[in-house]
Amino acid sequence: MPATPTGPTTDDERPARVTGPVPCRIVVCRDCCCGTPKVTGVDHADQTERLRAAAPVRVSDCLDVCEHANVIVVQPSAEGRAAGARPVWLGLVNDPDATEDIVAWIRTGGPGVAPRPDILDLYAITPSRRRTAS
Ligand code: FES
C-alpha cells in the first residue's frame, strides 16, 4: 500500500508529512538481567541487530520479569491491532534460533496478521502487572 501524504496542519510552509502503515515494533529489554553476562551464551548485540532487521526496535529498561531474561515484546502492527492483537511477551529468548523464529514471524506480519509459530508458544510469558510495554 503506498504511503499516504497528509497535508500540513497550518498554512505555513512546512512540508506535508508522509505517513504509511504502522509496522510491528519490538521492545528489547536490556537492563539489570536481560542483555547482561547473567544471561550466558548469548550475543546480545547481535540479537538486537537481528531483530532490528525485521522491525523498529526500542531498547527498554527492566520490564520486571527478570526471571525470564532475555525478554522481547512484539507489538502488533496497526493491522494486527485492528484484528484484536495485543503485545506478545516472549521470555528466555536466549538462542539464535528463537530470535530467527521471531524475525520470521514479524516478517510475515506478526501478531494479529500471521499465526504465531508453535515453537514460540514455548517462549510466551505473562507480563508483569506493573509493565505493559505497549
Ligand atoms: S532486565 Fe529484562 S526483565 Fe529485568
Side-chain angles (χ1 to χ4, degrees):
M1 184 170 161
T4 305
T6 59
T9 56
T10 65
D11 292 334
D12 64 16
E13 296 299 317
R14 286 181 292 174
R17 289 185 306 158
V18 176
T19 61
V22 178
C24 291
R25 295 184 184 279
I26 306 169
V27 177
V28 176
C29 188
R30 293 288 186 258
D31 199 351
C32 53
C33 294
C34 300
T36 73
K38 291 179 184 175
V39 182
T40 59
V42 180
D43 182 336
H44 303 289
D46 182 67
Q47 181 182 59
T48 302
E49 287 312 305
R50 289 296 306 141
L51 293 166
R52 200 181 305 274
V57 166
R58 179 172 67 85
V59 175
S60 170
D61 291 343
C62 179
L63 294 172
D64 295 333
V65 284
C66 291
E67 67 275 20
H68 299 290
N70 285 334
V71 176
I72 309 291
V73 183
V74 181
Q75 297 175 323
S77 64
E79 182 182 0
R81 284 191 189 271
R86 304 291 306 145
V88 174
W89 288 57
L90 303 166
L92 301 173
V93 184
N94 298 334
D95 68 77
D97 289 344
T99 301
E100 293 307 317
D101 290 336
I102 295 168
V103 167
W105 182 36
I106 290 170
R107 285 187 170 152
T108 58
V113 176
R116 182 169 69 199
D118 291 343
I119 191 73
L120 290 181
D121 291 348
L122 300 173
Y123 297 89
I125 62 172
T126 302
S128 162
R129 283 194 213 179
R130 291 188 295 159
R131 300 281 188 157
T132 60
S134 57

